[in-house]
Amino acid sequence: EPPRIGKTDLGVKAFVPWSWSYFPDSEYIIGGYGADMATANSVHIKNTLGSSWYQAMVGSDWGCHVSLRGGKASGRSDYFHTLEGGVLKAVGRGGGATGFGAGKLRPEFGGNILVDDPLKAQEGSSAAVRKEANTWIMETLHSRRNRLQEPTTPIVLIMQRLHPDDPAGHLLKTERHRWTIV
């Protein structure tokens, strides 16, 4: 899809709070081309969770309540917990996610990995940067799915196409059977 049509708003900023209203203990890793961009999405999500309108909506309409947990991680923008056991970690391309996993070990939805714009538009023509992004997704992020439920912990890639071997093209070429295009 082209830029500026709301992919990030729907696929990241709205999806995580919405899904937490149904599965408040879900675990997420959100990533993007840079830590600052991933963290900005994390801050937006954290602000939504703490807002009075969200609390009123999930408490009355869905019968569930999602609350942010205090403590050491509560002041961080890139990593936080909910009282219900949910976790969100934001990481930029090439950044480490060691020690963090996405998805609960259960058959129903338990979280996912959301990769939003792994490349900046101007990086699409760089073979080195494309390779870095492809490796980051294939090796680092794939390994962050909680293993026992790997098939049920999805990775969602949100991006505009920039090159035949950008992350979307690379994944379709190397593991087409594992991906669904929406």
Side-chain angles (χ1 to χ4, degrees), residues 118 134 137 157 159-161 164-173:
N134 294 339
I137 293 168
L157 175 62
M159 65 177 290
Q160 62 174 318
R161 293 302 309 271
D165 196 39
D166 62 16
H170 182 77
L171 292 169
L172 291 174
K173 184 171 38 177

Side-chain angles (χ1 to χ4, degrees), residues 40-68:
N41 287 337
S42 174
V43 167
H44 188 279
I45 292 165
K46 192 174 185 181
N47 289 340
T48 298
L49 295 175
S51 70
S52 57
W53 66 265
Y54 177 81
Q55 291 298 323
M57 180 182 68
V58 298
S60 62
D61 292 349
W62 284 295
C64 137
H65 191 75
V66 180
S67 301
L68 295 173

Side-chain angles (χ1 to χ4, degrees), residues 49-178:
L49 295 175
S51 70
S52 57
W53 66 265
Y54 177 81
Q55 291 298 323
M57 180 182 68
V58 298
S60 62
D61 292 349
W62 284 295
C64 137
H65 191 75
V66 180
S67 301
L68 295 173
R69 188 170 90 191
K72 185 178 177 181
S74 66
R76 292 180 62 174
S77 299
D78 66 332
Y79 172 62
F80 61 89
H81 298 267
T82 68
L83 286 175
E84 296 75 17
V87 178
L88 186 138
K89 171 67 175 160
V91 61
R93 182 185 69 227
T98 303
F100 298 96
K104 288 289 188 183
L105 302 177
R106 61 181 180 215
E108 67 270 6
F109 183 79
N112 65 350
I113 297 172
L114 295 159
V115 183
D116 180 34
D117 288 332
L119 296 173
K120 294 180 188 177
Q122 63 270 29
E123 294 174 333
S125 60
S126 169
V129 176
R130 287 192 314 271
K131 182 178 180 183
E132 175 192 12
N134 294 339
T135 301
W136 177 62
I137 293 168
M138 296 289 293
E139 295 176 10
T140 302
L141 295 181
H142 267 267
S143 71
R144 298 292 90 209
R145 296 186 289 181
N146 286 322
R147 283 294 194 213
L148 294 177
Q149 295 298 321
E150 185 173 322
T152 62
T153 300
I155 297 177
V156 176
L157 175 62
I158 302 167
M159 65 177 290
Q160 62 174 318
R161 293 302 309 271
L162 300 169
H163 187 275
D165 196 39
D166 62 16
H170 182 77
L171 292 169
L172 291 174
K173 184 171 38 177
T174 59
E175 50 179 37
R176 174 67 177 105
H177 65 285
R178 297 178 78 182

